[in-house]
């Protein structure tokens, strides 16, 4: 599924949650200047290019947490709940040498959404063992898979 379709599904779900609970899960969008700085920081720290699909998503919301799915923001969110920042969480993961082949974009209760730097592909991996569950050619395909398989927006 294309990132624009995923964004629309998230906007629709956010509207439902606002109607039911009085607040949604989408956060403030990130600015172009914040994204430009972030891209440089990721490349300097991890020598990878950030997914353009992920960058499109953070233009909608700087990370999100909905029904067990957490997409990390370009910087941490610490409002009425906490969402990790991509740089912080990956620096933490990379303190373990065996995890340095992954760049993580988010998690769900049993799954992490990662880019495998060695194999140059996006993967859904087990959140405990980091064993590959499924692989994809794009971040949007990975995100769509997790949303569907984990029934995030049902």
């Amino acid at each position: 599924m294309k990132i624009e379709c995923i964004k629309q599904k998230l906007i629709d779900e956010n509207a439902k949650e606002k109607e039911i609970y009085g607040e949604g899960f989408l956060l403030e969008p990130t600015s172009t200047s914040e994204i430009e700085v972030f891209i440089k920081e990721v490349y300097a720290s991890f020598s990878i290019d950030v997914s353009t699909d992920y960058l499109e998503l953070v233009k909608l919301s700087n990370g999100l947490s909905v029904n067990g799915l957490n997409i990390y923001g370009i910087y941490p969110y610490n409002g009425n709940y906490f969402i990790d920042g991509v740089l912080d969480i990956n620096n933490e993961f990379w303190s373990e040498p065996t995890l340095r082949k992954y760049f993580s974009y988010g998690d769900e209760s049993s799954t992490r959404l990662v880019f495998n730097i060695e194999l140059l592909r996006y993967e859904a991996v087990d959140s405990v063992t980091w064993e590959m569950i499924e692989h994809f050619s794009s971040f949007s395909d990975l995100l769509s898979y997790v949303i569907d398989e984990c029934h995030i927006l049902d």
Side-chain angles (χ1 to χ4, degrees):
M1 180 183 313
K2 299 286 184 206
I3 196 66
E4 291 305 320
C5 294
I6 294 171
K7 285 171 59 176
Q8 189 57 55
K9 283 186 169 190
L10 292 169
I11 290 167
D12 294 345
E13 184 68 18
N14 190 66
K16 288 179 196 172
E17 290 206 7
K18 279 184 175 180
E19 188 175 309
I20 295 169
Y21 305 113
E23 64 182 2
F25 57 85
L26 294 178
L27 305 174
E28 291 294 316
T30 43
S31 69
T32 302
S33 60
E34 290 171 321
I35 289 171
E36 289 170 357
V37 169
F38 171 71
I39 289 169
K40 290 175 185 171
E41 289 176 340
V42 169
Y43 195 83
S45 296
F46 302 100
S47 299
I48 67 162
D49 293 321
V50 181
S51 160
T52 56
D53 290 337
Y54 170 80
L55 295 174
E56 281 302 310
L57 189 59
V58 297
K59 288 178 187 176
L60 172 67
S61 177
N62 178 47
L64 59 90
S65 182
V66 58
N67 300 330
L69 172 65
N70 300 301
I71 300 298
Y72 311 136
I74 66 167
Y75 48 83
Y77 172 76
N78 198 7
N80 52 350
Y81 55 93
F82 180 77
I83 299 176
D84 283 301
V86 167
L87 290 168
D88 295 341
I89 195 75
N90 280 289
N91 277 321
E92 185 176 322
F93 289 147
W94 278 39
S95 67
E96 169 56 49
T98 61
L99 300 181
R100 290 187 182 170
K101 69 179 184 177
Y102 299 111
F103 185 81
S104 187
Y105 286 99
D107 61 70
E108 183 273 331
S109 61
S110 62
T111 310
R112 291 199 189 282
L113 292 80
V114 303
F115 180 71
N116 185 317
I117 296 166
E118 292 176 355
L119 300 176
L120 301 176
R121 66 186 189 191
Y122 295 88
E123 295 179 350
V125 298
D126 183 275
S127 63
V128 176
T129 66
W130 293 76
E131 298 276 329
M132 197 261 307
I133 299 167
E134 190 65 65
H135 65 87
F136 307 90
S137 60
S138 70
F139 175 75
S140 62
D141 288 343
L142 167 60
L143 182 56
S144 179
Y145 168 83
V146 172
I147 288 171
D148 293 344
E149 288 296 309
C150 300
H151 305 281
I152 301 299
L153 301 178
D154 290 349

